[in-house]
Amino acid sequence: MISTTSSMAEMVAQSKLQINCIENVEDKSSGRLGCFGWLLVLLSLLFVAATFPLTIFMCIKIVKEYERAVIFRLGRITDRKPKGPGLFFILPCTDNFVKVDLRTVSFDIPPQEILTKDSVTVSVDGVVYFRIHSPISSVANVSNAHLSTRLLAQTTLRNVLGTKILAELLSDRESISLSMQEALDEATEPWGIKVERVEIKDVKLPQQLQRAMAAEAEASREARAKLISAEGEMKASRALKEASLIIAESPSALQLRYLQTLNTIAAERNSTIIFPLPIDMLQTFMQRK
């Protein structure tokens, strides 16, 4: 069994080595033009030399600072490094080139109807910022890098938010944006695209859910207000109890409290002043009668 397993592992390793060798040979031969191709290139050079003053404008091209040019010669990429910025030379009959913009591009993700993990339907939109860091990959590996990135951003938004509950979606947008950026960046790496930033713009809830959440929040606020009011009343009753105990120890303190209350009423310029009389004084007059 051990010898059989080792022999199978050797066979797998040899097959991988053969595949790598074949791929390397294909990569090396992919840049070769062949005899007929070089003949066409030679004829193109002779044509340029024969009509030099006229074809100079067809051979020299200019790309801007934020652009790069990928040159195809007879349908093959001539160099693994793009040309630019500035001047570069092409052959008018055998070469053509594609300009690639390296600036950061932003686009809006259309509102997506998403069913969250806790079975709530929400509408979410966002914005994505990306740029092309490998012009050759963006031209050779994908037909339309910008459109493909837009479509992939929509599906990634639905896939990522479908694994979150509503509370996480409303409170943890930063981590969700970071996970979306990592997923998009990994998927668009073969296309030569670098996703710089992903932001969730707005989360739209259904009207019924908004009313239910508002009612829940109002009820919780009212409950907290009632608890605070009850605690205040309890503290006030304790303070009144302590004050009554202190006043009960000294009967004259109650009279001083009466006088303080009269002073407060007189300061407000009231026309009517109610003067409370102690019940003890009334009892003395009633006993004399």
Side-chain angles (χ1 to χ4, degrees):
M1 290 293 291
I2 296 174
S3 60
T4 306
T5 306
S6 60
S7 61
M8 290 179 64
E10 291 178 357
M11 292 175 61
V12 171
Q14 291 178 0
S15 62
K16 289 183 178 179
L17 182 61
Q18 291 176 358
I19 292 172
N20 292 331
C21 293
I22 293 172
E23 289 179 352
N24 293 331
V25 171
E26 289 179 354
D27 291 337
K28 291 180 181 179
S29 62
S30 61
R32 297 178 182 176
L33 299 178
C35 297
F36 185 71
W38 284 113
L39 179 61
L40 292 178
V41 171
L42 181 60
L43 292 176
S44 180
L45 287 173
L46 293 175
F47 174 75
V48 171
T51 59
F52 174 70
L54 299 177
T55 56
I56 188 64
F57 299 102
M58 301 173 59
C59 297
I60 296 178
K61 303 295 180 180
I62 301 175
V63 291
K64 299 178 182 178
E65 181 68 29
Y66 54 84
E67 293 177 339
R68 297 294 184 271
V70 180
I71 301 177
F72 292 89
R73 177 165 296 167
L74 297 177
R76 299 176 181 270
I77 297 177
T78 58
D79 193 0
R80 289 299 173 183
K81 185 178 180 181
K83 302 297 182 181
L87 296 172
F88 64 95
F89 179 83
I90 63 171
L91 296 176
C93 300
T94 59
D95 295 354
N96 62 347
F97 67 96
V98 178
K99 287 185 179 180
V100 179
D101 196 334
L102 302 183
R103 292 177 293 181
T104 300
V105 180
S106 63
F107 65 89
D108 292 329
I109 302 176
Q112 304 292 316
E113 294 289 337
I114 299 170
L115 184 64
T116 60
K117 191 175 181 180
D118 51 353
S119 301
V120 178
T121 303
V122 294
S123 178
V124 183
D125 58 352
V127 59
V128 177
Y129 300 88
F130 72 94
R131 61 180 175 84
I132 295 176
H133 70 88
S134 177
I136 293 178
S137 298
S138 66
V139 172
N141 295 344
V142 62
S143 61
N144 191 333
H146 292 260
L147 180 60
S148 301
T149 306
R150 291 172 186 267
L151 297 177
L152 184 61
Q154 297 178 19
T155 57
T156 304
L157 179 65
R158 289 194 295 268
N159 294 336
V160 171
L161 296 185
T163 60
K164 305 293 181 180
I165 63 176
L166 182 60
E168 294 177 350
L169 181 59
L170 296 176
S171 62
D172 200 9
R173 295 190 181 184
E174 185 175 355
S175 63
I176 294 175
S177 301
L178 184 59
S179 61
M180 284 187 57
Q181 178 182 348
E182 292 175 354
L184 278 175
D185 196 15
E186 182 179 359
T188 57
E189 178 65 25
W191 302 342
I193 291 176
K194 172 66 177 177
V195 179
E196 296 180 343
R197 193 175 183 86
V198 178
E199 292 291 340
I200 296 176
K201 293 173 60 177
D202 191 15
V203 179
K204 296 180 180 179
L205 304 176
Q207 293 294 330
Q208 295 179 355
L209 182 59
Q210 292 181 13
R211 288 194 292 266
M213 294 177 66
E216 181 182 0
E218 185 178 359
S220 63
R221 286 194 296 268
E222 290 180 355
R224 287 195 298 268
K226 289 180 180 179
L227 289 175
I228 294 172
S229 177
E231 290 178 358
E233 291 180 358
M234 183 174 62
K235 292 179 180 180
S237 62
R238 290 177 180 174
L240 289 174
K241 180 182 178 181
E242 295 175 358
S244 63
L245 294 175
I246 295 173
I247 292 174
E249 294 177 357
S250 176
S252 60
L254 184 59
Q255 303 297 330
L256 294 176
R257 182 60 181 166
Y258 288 159
L259 294 176
Q260 186 180 2
T261 304
L262 290 175
N263 187 19
T264 304
I265 295 173
E268 296 178 358
R269 297 180 182 179
N270 291 325
S271 59
T272 304
I273 296 177
I274 301 175
F275 183 76
L277 291 176
I279 299 176
D280 297 337
M281 294 177 62
L282 295 176
Q283 288 179 357
T284 55
F285 285 110
M286 291 175 64
Q287 289 177 0
R288 288 180 184 180
K289 293 181 178 179

